[in-house]
Amino acid sequence: MTEIFAKRRKDWYKQNLKYLRYVFNDHFVLFLMILLGALVVQYVTFLQTHQAHLLEKIILVVLVTVLSQLVGRIATFVEAADKVFLLPQELALKRYLLQCLVRSLILPAVLSLLLILIVAPLLNFNVVIFIIWFILLVALKGAWFYSQIWRWQQTGILNWTAMIESEETRKTATLRLFALFTNVKGLKSHSHRRKYLDFLLPDTRRTYDYLFMRSFLRSGDFLGLTLRLLVLSILSMIFISNGIVALIIVLVFNYLLIFQLLSLRTTFDYQLLTRIYPVKKTAKTAGLRVVLFRVMLVTTLIELIMSLIFIRPIVLAVVIVLFNFILTKFYVRFRLKK
């Protein structure tokens, strides 16, 4: 059993490394270096001109504590078939879960340490206090993991269903992060009716216009991704005082949005009945371009309004409009032809 889970863990890390090559490509690494340099310069300048008061220190402590607990889930690498084939090994699996707890604490511990090091110049606490704070953050995360394991075996036997669902949720969350940059295999998606959005469905006879728009509105992946990236763009414009840095971040988020929405094209490929629709082959591509234009039009209008309010100089708002136009008009056409 130990060899089985060791192989699964090795395969999972190998898969993540493969996707990381696409995430941290040359262009994105260059962007991160520029962004990190700009943020460091701004932070150093802020430290030289600002000294945190008691209320600000309390807010920072609470914020770091919350952020450190949000990242990281217990990784068990349990699969659906295990509740049948590993059922006789349940006692050994309970001991294995404790090992999973220790391994899963590595990422939260590293994140907690980084957050503490970032806010340390503002808080100006004693080194001993920072060490105690770090230990408490890791212990709190460990206690949360342990409580989760305890709930899985609260009745005396392992709750295989809850354990498998937790592991699938953890893997799906990681794969969705990679899906922002590249196509990911094995990513599960779910659709919901969302009746309150039916008024956005186009009243048209163009088949793929309707199908792609319906898929966008009812798929948690596409609609949720659009809303998250739009919110991140707005927050960047609000909280980043350097207009050029905020602009770069917004443009990157818009590129990621278009890149992911292009996968709408394959949404109905598994539907064999769509192949007998009396429509031209070019109708599918044309329908997708229309849907992407609508989504980017709304996104551009919201970003334009927010940029006119928060970004200085105002001329940078024009760059957002031009960039989104180029993405929608030329980049989408290029990718669809490719």
Side-chain angles (χ1 to χ4, degrees):
M1 187 184 71
T2 304
E3 295 178 357
I4 292 175
F5 285 109
K7 184 179 184 303
R8 291 178 184 175
R9 187 165 56 251
K10 181 180 178 181
D11 292 342
W12 173 249
Y13 293 151
K14 184 178 179 181
Q15 181 185 20
N16 288 349
L17 289 175
K18 181 185 71 173
Y19 288 132
L20 282 174
R21 292 201 301 268
Y22 296 102
V23 175
F24 293 101
N25 53 50
D26 296 339
H27 302 290
F28 191 63
V29 170
L30 180 61
F31 161 74
L32 287 179
M33 292 176 62
I34 297 174
L35 177 62
L36 183 60
L39 292 177
V40 169
V41 171
Q42 280 197 344
Y43 188 52
V44 172
T45 304
F46 178 76
L47 290 176
Q48 294 173 348
T49 59
H50 183 80
Q51 186 174 0
H53 302 295
L54 178 60
L55 179 60
E56 293 174 340
K57 290 182 178 181
I58 294 175
I59 294 175
L60 278 175
V61 170
V62 174
L63 183 62
V64 169
T65 302
V66 172
L67 290 177
S68 66
Q69 302 305 306
L70 291 178
V71 176
R73 299 183 181 182
I74 184 167
T76 61
F77 298 98
V78 176
E79 297 180 358
D82 293 344
K83 62 183 178 181
V84 176
F85 295 101
L86 294 184
L87 189 60
Q89 300 292 329
E90 194 166 294
L91 292 177
L93 190 63
K94 292 180 180 180
R95 294 191 295 269
Y96 164 76
L97 290 176
L98 295 178
Q99 299 176 10
C100 295
L101 186 152
V102 176
R103 293 194 189 97
S104 301
L105 281 176
I106 296 177
L107 178 60
V110 173
L111 177 65
S112 300
L113 181 61
L114 289 176
L115 290 174
I116 291 176
L117 291 176
I118 291 173
V119 301
L122 273 174
L123 297 177
N124 197 21
F125 290 159
N126 189 285
V127 177
V128 178
I129 296 178
F130 284 120
I131 295 175
I132 295 175
W133 188 20
F134 170 73
I135 295 174
L136 288 175
L137 291 180
V138 177
L140 184 61
K141 193 67 176 181
W144 169 252
F145 286 161
Y146 184 80
S147 66
Q148 192 172 10
I149 294 175
W150 179 78
R151 289 195 301 270
W152 289 341
Q153 47 187 328
Q154 189 174 3
T155 59
I157 58 176
L158 282 176
N159 187 341
W160 288 91
T161 302
M163 192 162 52
I164 292 169
E165 289 179 354
S166 175
E167 179 62 13
E168 288 182 350
T169 302
R170 182 190 70 85
K171 288 184 175 180
T172 300
T174 304
L175 293 177
R176 281 179 176 172
L177 178 62
F178 294 138
L180 293 174
F181 302 88
T182 184
N183 295 326
V184 175
K185 295 181 179 180
L187 186 59
K188 298 180 180 180
S189 61
H190 302 280
S191 297
H192 305 281
R193 169 70 188 276
R194 294 193 179 97
K195 190 175 181 179
Y196 54 89
L197 295 179
D198 283 351
F199 73 97
L200 295 176
L201 291 174
D203 185 12
T204 177
R205 293 185 177 181
R206 293 191 291 269
T207 303
Y208 281 102
D209 289 18
Y210 179 83
L211 289 178
F212 285 138
M213 196 64 188
R214 190 181 72 167
S215 180
F216 171 78
L217 294 174
R218 297 183 178 182
S219 172
D221 292 341
F222 298 118
L223 181 60
L225 175 68
T226 303
L227 294 177
R228 287 193 295 270
L229 291 178
L230 180 58
V231 169
L232 288 175
S233 298
I234 294 173
L235 292 177
S236 300
M237 290 185 278
I238 294 175
F239 293 105
I240 297 179
S241 57
N242 191 314
I244 295 179
V245 175
L247 174 67
I248 294 174
I249 294 176
V250 171
L251 298 184
V252 170
F253 285 148
N254 290 343
Y255 168 76
L256 293 176
L257 176 59
I258 282 290
F259 182 84
Q260 287 303 306
L261 290 183
L262 283 171
S263 60
L264 269 170
R265 190 176 190 274
T266 61
T267 303
F268 296 98
D269 285 356
Y270 68 96
Q271 294 283 0
L272 298 179
L273 292 179
T274 59
R275 302 181 183 181
I276 64 173
Y277 286 162
V279 294
K280 298 180 180 179
K281 293 183 179 180
T282 57
K284 185 176 183 180
T285 301
L288 179 59
R289 290 173 57 188
V290 169
V291 172
L292 292 181
F293 174 79
R294 292 170 184 163
V295 174
M296 290 305 297
L297 178 61
V298 176
T299 302
T300 303
L301 289 175
I302 295 174
E303 290 178 347
L304 179 60
I305 295 173
M306 300 303 295
S307 61
L308 292 175
I309 299 174
F310 294 103
I311 288 186
R312 294 294 181 274
I314 297 180
V315 68
L316 295 178
V318 180
V319 178
I320 296 178
V321 178
L322 291 177
F323 183 80
N324 289 353
F325 174 76
I326 293 173
L327 280 179
T328 309
K329 184 69 176 178
F330 300 103
Y331 178 74
V332 169
R333 181 177 296 179
F334 169 75
R335 284 298 306 271
L336 292 178
K337 286 183 178 179
K338 186 178 179 180

